[in-house]
Amino acid sequence: MTGPVWSQLVGQEPAVEVLSAAARSAAALVAGETADSGAMTHAWLFTGPPGSGRSVAARTFAAALECSTGTGCGECTGCRTSLAGTHADVRLVVPEGLSISVAEMRALVQTAARKPTTGHWQVVIIEDADRLTEGAANALLKAVEEPPERTVFLLCAPSDHPDDVTVTIRSRCRLVTLRTPPPDAIARVLMERDGVAEEMARWAASVCGGHVGRARRLATDEDARKRRDAVLRIPLGLRRASDVFACADDLISTAEADAGEESKARDEAEQDALRTAMGSGGTGKGVAAAKRAADAAVRQLEKRQKSRATRTQRDTLDLALVDLAGFYRDVLVTGSGAQATLNHPDRAEDSAVAARQWTPASTLRRLEAVLACREAIEWNVKPRIAVEAMVTTLREG
């Protein structure tokens, strides 16, 4: 029997079966009852394509582990606080910069070694575990090798490849592979959970590439739909040499604006909260020292916020590049006459026009240019340079 919290995992029935069995086993262990010793373990690795719900799966599993019934009822304090991110024994690591530092990981490992305070387990969720630095991975490995009795580590990464997760950490984790959710399942969730109209829900599900979060944003945010349209006009809009730099500038500017819009309000609120916590605005003895300490702390916070904004900008740009890659793939599918599902079915006419104008070889070169741009940005090439080089190839073929 599975509880309501598992409904958050869209189209992941095999994973739900494994995780719910582990949660029941964990509840039996806590109660001192006989349990299936093979169902529960201390370290888990969630892998899957973007949008498959890796972090959602980890949070849902954490809720089930802290659930008073062991099923993930969704109503008890353990479930509600775990899902809300406020449970005292569930620690979530979300890299705000481009990597997770060794200092951050060492502090987390020390905290995770403690016994649970209010819940059944100490649960550590590490989103984007592929962003662990070498030192951070080594610090985590020591904890995973000799885990405390009531501590569970939940790691999320795109794959279990050594480029994403070290072999030594992977060998000590149980693997949960998530699949790309089918469009029907995504559309159903958008209608039932988010109240999206059926026509819009089915359209968003058909063009999101299996990414549930992207589908929700496209269905509910008109600006997101406009940005997608602007990106998908690029392939057939590169007529003059000057269009190369205009399109590249649009891509970069849109990513910067999106990151700035997302970060501004959050940054200001964090700075105000930090200054208040450090005694800013107070009066009396010691105010000057408190102000100096607060200013130093704010400077450190601003540094982290800048790193977070850089990551947000790159993530936004990467979504645009994924859309472009999907279009060129659609052109190849259309040109070959295959009956495969298109990434952008609403752009089928544009794909057909491009397939008539370009040879398969030139389309493939364009696709490879997009993939090369993604890789270059991942290796910290300046986004503007990488994008301008890509768009030049997109025009010339």
Side-chain angles (χ1 to χ4, degrees):
M1 178 182 176
T2 58
V5 298
W6 300 107
S7 64
Q8 299 196 44
L9 291 181
V10 182
Q12 307 294 348
E13 289 77 9
V16 169
E17 185 177 348
V18 171
L19 296 173
S20 59
R24 291 193 297 270
S25 177
L29 289 172
V30 170
E33 301 171 358
T34 303
D36 180 0
S37 59
M40 182 60 188
T41 187
H42 68 282
W44 298 75
L45 174 60
F46 296 86
T47 66
S52 58
R54 299 186 299 258
S55 62
V56 173
R59 294 178 195 225
T60 302
F61 187 34
L65 290 175
E66 303 294 7
C67 179
S68 58
T69 67
T71 62
C73 67
E75 298 178 357
C76 68
T77 301
C79 282
R80 287 187 285 106
T81 54
S82 296
L83 293 174
T86 58
H87 196 292
D89 296 318
V90 178
R91 307 188 185 279
L92 181 64
V93 180
V94 181
E96 295 188 336
L98 299 178
S99 62
I100 302 174
S101 69
V102 62
E104 184 178 4
M105 189 50 55
R106 283 174 178 164
L108 183 72
V109 167
Q110 288 180 349
T111 304
R114 302 170 186 166
K115 292 183 178 180
T117 54
T118 61
H120 303 307
W121 301 85
Q122 279 276 10
V123 183
V124 178
I125 302 173
I126 303 177
E127 290 191 16
D128 298 326
D130 54 307
R131 295 179 186 259
L132 288 166
T133 63
E134 184 178 355
N138 289 335
L140 175 62
L141 176 61
K142 293 178 181 178
V144 173
E145 284 180 329
E146 301 175 3
E149 184 181 359
R150 287 289 182 84
T151 299
V152 181
F153 293 93
L154 309 180
L155 281 62
C156 307
S159 75
D160 61 346
H161 190 277
D163 286 347
D164 289 332
V165 181
T166 63
V167 174
T168 47
I169 290 179
R170 163 66 186 90
S171 66
R172 289 161 177 79
C173 296
R174 179 168 299 168
L175 182 64
V176 178
T177 303
L178 304 178
R179 60 190 181 185
T180 299
D184 286 345
I186 296 175
R188 187 166 58 251
V189 166
L190 292 178
M191 290 185 287
E192 295 175 356
R193 192 165 67 195
D194 300 297
V196 177
E198 181 176 357
E199 183 178 357
M200 176 61 75
R202 295 200 177 282
W203 171 81
S206 71
V207 302
C208 70
H211 194 302
V212 180
R214 182 92 196 281
R216 182 179 296 111
R217 190 165 186 182
L218 286 171
T220 58
D221 186 348
E222 185 177 357
D223 287 339
R225 294 194 289 272
K226 289 179 179 177
R227 284 193 292 271
R228 174 180 175 271
D229 286 341
V231 168
L232 294 178
R233 283 196 296 268
I234 290 175
L236 294 178
L238 296 170
R239 296 182 176 86
R240 301 179 300 273
S242 59
D243 292 336
V244 168
F245 298 98
C247 288
D249 189 64
D250 285 345
L251 279 173
I252 298 298
S253 299
T254 299
E256 289 175 345
D258 201 42
E261 181 182 332
E262 184 175 324
S263 301
K264 183 178 180 181
R266 182 178 177 184
D267 289 353
E268 292 175 351
E270 287 177 345
Q271 291 176 23
D272 290 343
L274 180 59
R275 285 193 174 96
T276 301
M278 297 291 289
S280 179
T283 59
K285 188 177 180 180
V287 169
K291 184 178 184 303
R292 286 195 298 272
D295 289 343
V298 167
R299 284 194 294 272
Q300 288 295 318
L301 176 61
E302 288 174 343
K303 185 178 179 181
R304 294 196 300 272
Q305 289 174 339
K306 184 178 180 181
S307 180
R308 181 174 66 199
T310 299
R311 183 194 170 196
T312 303
Q313 177 188 340
R314 293 189 180 191
D315 288 348
T316 302
L317 181 57
D318 191 63
L319 277 178
L321 297 178
V322 169
D323 279 340
L324 276 178
F327 178 83
Y328 290 112
R329 178 260 183 192
D330 288 352
V331 175
L332 289 172
V333 169
T334 303
S336 70
Q339 299 302 310
T341 302
L342 299 181
N343 288 99
H344 304 293
D346 57 334
R347 294 278 173 170
E349 186 174 336
D350 288 349
S351 300
V353 170
R356 290 193 295 269
Q357 292 180 356
W358 306 332
T359 66
S362 68
T363 302
L364 187 59
R365 284 194 294 273
R366 291 176 167 95
L367 175 57
E368 289 172 342
V370 178
L371 300 180
C373 181
R374 293 186 70 198
E375 186 174 359
I377 292 173
E378 186 178 337
W379 284 99
N380 289 326
V381 173
K382 284 189 176 297
R384 184 172 295 277
I385 294 174
V387 170
E388 287 177 351
M390 174 195 74
V391 180
T392 299
T393 302
L394 298 187
R395 178 176 180 270
E396 295 178 354

mmCIF file of all heavy atoms in Angstrom, residues 367-387:
data_model
loop_
_atom_site.group_PDB
_atom_site.id
_atom_site.type_symbol
_atom_site.label_atom_id
_atom_site.label_comp_id
_atom_site.label_asym_id
_atom_site.label_seq_id
_atom_site.Cartn_x
_atom_site.Cartn_y
_atom_site.Cartn_z
ATOM 1 N N LEU A 367 23.072 20.689 -35.398
ATOM 2 C CA LEU A 367 22.774 20.021 -34.123
ATOM 3 C C LEU A 367 24.039 19.845 -33.289
ATOM 4 O O LEU A 367 24.042 20.105 -32.073
ATOM 5 C CB LEU A 367 22.119 18.660 -34.400
ATOM 6 C CG LEU A 367 21.853 17.759 -33.184
ATOM 7 C CD1 LEU A 367 20.980 18.473 -32.158
ATOM 8 C CD2 LEU A 367 21.190 16.454 -33.627
ATOM 9 N N GLU A 368 25.107 19.424 -33.936
ATOM 10 C CA GLU A 368 26.382 19.246 -33.226
ATOM 11 C C GLU A 368 26.905 20.574 -32.680
ATOM 12 O O GLU A 368 27.527 20.610 -31.617
ATOM 13 C CB GLU A 368 27.410 18.612 -34.156
ATOM 14 C CG GLU A 368 27.110 17.146 -34.467
ATOM 15 C CD GLU A 368 28.026 16.579 -35.548
ATOM 16 O OE1 GLU A 368 28.634 17.390 -36.288
ATOM 17 O OE2 GLU A 368 28.121 15.341 -35.651
ATOM 18 N N ALA A 369 26.645 21.677 -33.392
ATOM 19 C CA ALA A 369 27.078 22.995 -32.914
ATOM 20 C C ALA A 369 26.353 23.373 -31.618
ATOM 21 O O ALA A 369 26.945 23.955 -30.701
ATOM 22 C CB ALA A 369 26.822 24.058 -33.982
ATOM 23 N N VAL A 370 25.058 23.050 -31.544
ATOM 24 C CA VAL A 370 24.298 23.331 -30.323
ATOM 25 C C VAL A 370 24.844 22.506 -29.154
ATOM 26 O O VAL A 370 25.045 23.022 -28.052
ATOM 27 C CB VAL A 370 22.801 23.032 -30.533
ATOM 28 C CG1 VAL A 370 22.025 23.269 -29.237
ATOM 29 C CG2 VAL A 370 22.225 23.899 -31.643
ATOM 30 N N LEU A 371 25.087 21.226 -29.403
ATOM 31 C CA LEU A 371 25.607 20.354 -28.339
ATOM 32 C C LEU A 371 27.000 20.806 -27.909
ATOM 33 O O LEU A 371 27.339 20.761 -26.706
ATOM 34 C CB LEU A 371 25.638 18.905 -28.824
ATOM 35 C CG LEU A 371 24.278 18.322 -29.239
ATOM 36 C CD1 LEU A 371 24.444 16.883 -29.711
ATOM 37 C CD2 LEU A 371 23.276 18.397 -28.088
ATOM 38 N N ALA A 372 27.809 21.254 -28.859
ATOM 39 C CA ALA A 372 29.155 21.738 -28.530
ATOM 40 C C ALA A 372 29.084 23.009 -27.692
ATOM 41 O O ALA A 372 29.904 23.223 -26.790
ATOM 42 C CB ALA A 372 29.950 21.999 -29.807
ATOM 43 N N CYS A 373 28.100 23.852 -27.967
ATOM 44 C CA CYS A 373 27.925 25.080 -27.186
ATOM 45 C C CYS A 373 27.568 24.746 -25.741
ATOM 46 O O CYS A 373 28.105 25.345 -24.797
ATOM 47 C CB CYS A 373 26.828 25.940 -27.816
ATOM 48 S SG CYS A 373 26.532 27.499 -26.947
ATOM 49 N N ARG A 374 26.675 23.780 -25.556
ATOM 50 C CA ARG A 374 26.314 23.360 -24.188
ATOM 51 C C ARG A 374 27.546 22.866 -23.444
ATOM 52 O O ARG A 374 27.758 23.206 -22.267
ATOM 53 C CB ARG A 374 25.273 22.242 -24.233
ATOM 54 C CG ARG A 374 23.910 22.642 -24.756
ATOM 55 C CD ARG A 374 22.919 21.499 -24.614
ATOM 56 N NE ARG A 374 22.593 21.260 -23.213
ATOM 57 C CZ ARG A 374 22.031 20.136 -22.757
ATOM 58 N NH1 ARG A 374 21.774 19.147 -23.602
ATOM 59 N NH2 ARG A 374 21.746 19.992 -21.484
ATOM 60 N N GLU A 375 28.354 22.074 -24.122
ATOM 61 C CA GLU A 375 29.548 21.528 -23.483
ATOM 62 C C GLU A 375 30.556 22.638 -23.164
ATOM 63 O O GLU A 375 31.180 22.626 -22.094
ATOM 64 C CB GLU A 375 30.192 20.479 -24.383
ATOM 65 C CG GLU A 375 31.363 19.752 -23.725
ATOM 66 C CD GLU A 375 31.902 18.616 -24.567
ATOM 67 O OE1 GLU A 375 31.348 18.372 -25.661
ATOM 68 O OE2 GLU A 375 32.874 17.973 -24.139
ATOM 69 N N ALA A 376 30.710 23.591 -24.073
ATOM 70 C CA ALA A 376 31.655 24.683 -23.843
ATOM 71 C C ALA A 376 31.259 25.509 -22.617
ATOM 72 O O ALA A 376 32.112 25.864 -21.790
ATOM 73 C CB ALA A 376 31.721 25.577 -25.085
ATOM 74 N N ILE A 377 29.972 25.793 -22.481
ATOM 75 C CA ILE A 377 29.505 26.566 -21.333
ATOM 76 C C ILE A 377 29.701 25.784 -20.042
ATOM 77 O O ILE A 377 30.050 26.354 -18.995
ATOM 78 C CB ILE A 377 28.028 26.963 -21.530
ATOM 79 C CG1 ILE A 377 27.914 27.965 -22.682
ATOM 80 C CG2 ILE A 377 27.439 27.547 -20.253
ATOM 81 C CD1 ILE A 377 26.491 28.298 -23.067
ATOM 82 N N GLU A 378 29.512 24.484 -20.118
ATOM 83 C CA GLU A 378 29.740 23.638 -18.940
ATOM 84 C C GLU A 378 31.200 23.707 -18.499
ATOM 85 O O GLU A 378 31.505 23.601 -17.306
ATOM 86 C CB GLU A 378 29.355 22.191 -19.269
ATOM 87 C CG GLU A 378 29.415 21.258 -18.075
ATOM 88 C CD GLU A 378 28.974 19.845 -18.426
ATOM 89 O OE1 GLU A 378 28.234 19.665 -19.412
ATOM 90 O OE2 GLU A 378 29.373 18.911 -17.707
ATOM 91 N N TRP A 379 32.115 23.910 -19.482
ATOM 92 C CA TRP A 379 33.542 24.016 -19.172
ATOM 93 C C TRP A 379 33.963 25.465 -18.925
ATOM 94 O O TRP A 379 35.142 25.808 -18.987
ATOM 95 C CB TRP A 379 34.372 23.405 -20.302
ATOM 96 C CG TRP A 379 34.366 21.915 -20.279
ATOM 97 C CD1 TRP A 379 33.598 21.086 -21.034
ATOM 98 C CD2 TRP A 379 35.149 21.059 -19.433
ATOM 99 N NE1 TRP A 379 33.841 19.768 -20.720
ATOM 100 C CE2 TRP A 379 34.795 19.719 -19.736
ATOM 101 C CE3 TRP A 379 36.114 21.279 -18.450
ATOM 102 C CZ2 TRP A 379 35.370 18.628 -19.103
ATOM 103 C CZ3 TRP A 379 36.687 20.188 -17.807
ATOM 104 C CH2 TRP A 379 36.317 18.882 -18.138
ATOM 105 N N ASN A 380 32.966 26.315 -18.634
ATOM 106 C CA ASN A 380 33.208 27.704 -18.216
ATOM 107 C C ASN A 380 33.736 28.627 -19.315
ATOM 108 O O ASN A 380 34.348 29.657 -19.024
ATOM 109 C CB ASN A 380 34.158 27.773 -17.007
ATOM 110 C CG ASN A 380 33.497 27.269 -15.737
ATOM 111 O OD1 ASN A 380 32.297 27.450 -15.548
ATOM 112 N ND2 ASN A 380 34.260 26.617 -14.889
ATOM 113 N N VAL A 381 33.491 28.280 -20.577
ATOM 114 C CA VAL A 381 33.716 29.244 -21.654
ATOM 115 C C VAL A 381 32.679 30.355 -21.487
ATOM 116 O O VAL A 381 31.529 30.090 -21.129
ATOM 117 C CB VAL A 381 33.569 28.578 -23.041
ATOM 118 C CG1 VAL A 381 33.629 29.610 -24.151
ATOM 119 C CG2 VAL A 381 34.651 27.522 -23.228
ATOM 120 N N LYS A 382 33.060 31.613 -21.734
ATOM 121 C CA LYS A 382 32.106 32.711 -21.585
ATOM 122 C C LYS A 382 30.895 32.454 -22.483
ATOM 123 O O LYS A 382 31.034 32.210 -23.683
ATOM 124 C CB LYS A 382 32.760 34.045 -21.949
ATOM 125 C CG LYS A 382 33.692 34.581 -20.882
ATOM 126 C CD LYS A 382 34.136 35.980 -21.203
ATOM 127 C CE LYS A 382 34.988 36.551 -20.070
ATOM 128 N NZ LYS A 382 34.256 36.676 -18.804
ATOM 129 N N PRO A 383 29.680 32.489 -21.906
ATOM 130 C CA PRO A 383 28.475 32.156 -22.682
ATOM 131 C C PRO A 383 28.338 32.936 -23.980
ATOM 132 O O PRO A 383 27.969 32.368 -25.006
ATOM 133 C CB PRO A 383 27.338 32.482 -21.701
ATOM 134 C CG PRO A 383 27.941 32.260 -20.352
ATOM 135 C CD PRO A 383 29.356 32.728 -20.484
ATOM 136 N N ARG A 384 28.655 34.233 -23.966
ATOM 137 C CA ARG A 384 28.475 35.027 -25.189
ATOM 138 C C ARG A 384 29.365 34.515 -26.324
ATOM 139 O O ARG A 384 28.928 34.404 -27.470
ATOM 140 C CB ARG A 384 28.770 36.506 -24.916
ATOM 141 C CG ARG A 384 28.508 37.408 -26.110
ATOM 142 C CD ARG A 384 28.632 38.861 -25.736
ATOM 143 N NE ARG A 384 27.614 39.260 -24.784
ATOM 144 C CZ ARG A 384 26.381 39.616 -25.108
ATOM 145 N NH1 ARG A 384 26.022 39.611 -26.392
ATOM 146 N NH2 ARG A 384 25.519 39.974 -24.189
ATOM 147 N N ILE A 385 30.612 34.184 -26.015
ATOM 148 C CA ILE A 385 31.531 33.679 -27.042
ATOM 149 C C ILE A 385 31.039 32.343 -27.581
ATOM 150 O O ILE A 385 31.018 32.102 -28.793
ATOM 151 C CB ILE A 385 32.951 33.547 -26.461
ATOM 152 C CG1 ILE A 385 33.511 34.930 -26.122
ATOM 153 C CG2 ILE A 385 33.878 32.829 -27.440
ATOM 154 C CD1 ILE A 385 34.848 34.901 -25.422
ATOM 155 N N ALA A 386 30.627 31.447 -26.664
ATOM 156 C CA ALA A 386 30.156 30.119 -27.078
ATOM 157 C C ALA A 386 28.901 30.221 -27.936
ATOM 158 O O ALA A 386 28.761 29.530 -28.957
ATOM 159 C CB ALA A 386 29.892 29.256 -25.840
ATOM 160 N N VAL A 387 27.984 31.115 -27.545
ATOM 161 C CA VAL A 387 26.720 31.254 -28.283
ATOM 162 C C VAL A 387 26.954 31.882 -29.654
ATOM 163 O O VAL A 387 26.366 31.453 -30.660
ATOM 164 C CB VAL A 387 25.712 32.083 -27.465
ATOM 165 C CG1 VAL A 387 24.495 32.449 -28.307
ATOM 166 C CG2 VAL A 387 25.260 31.299 -26.236
#
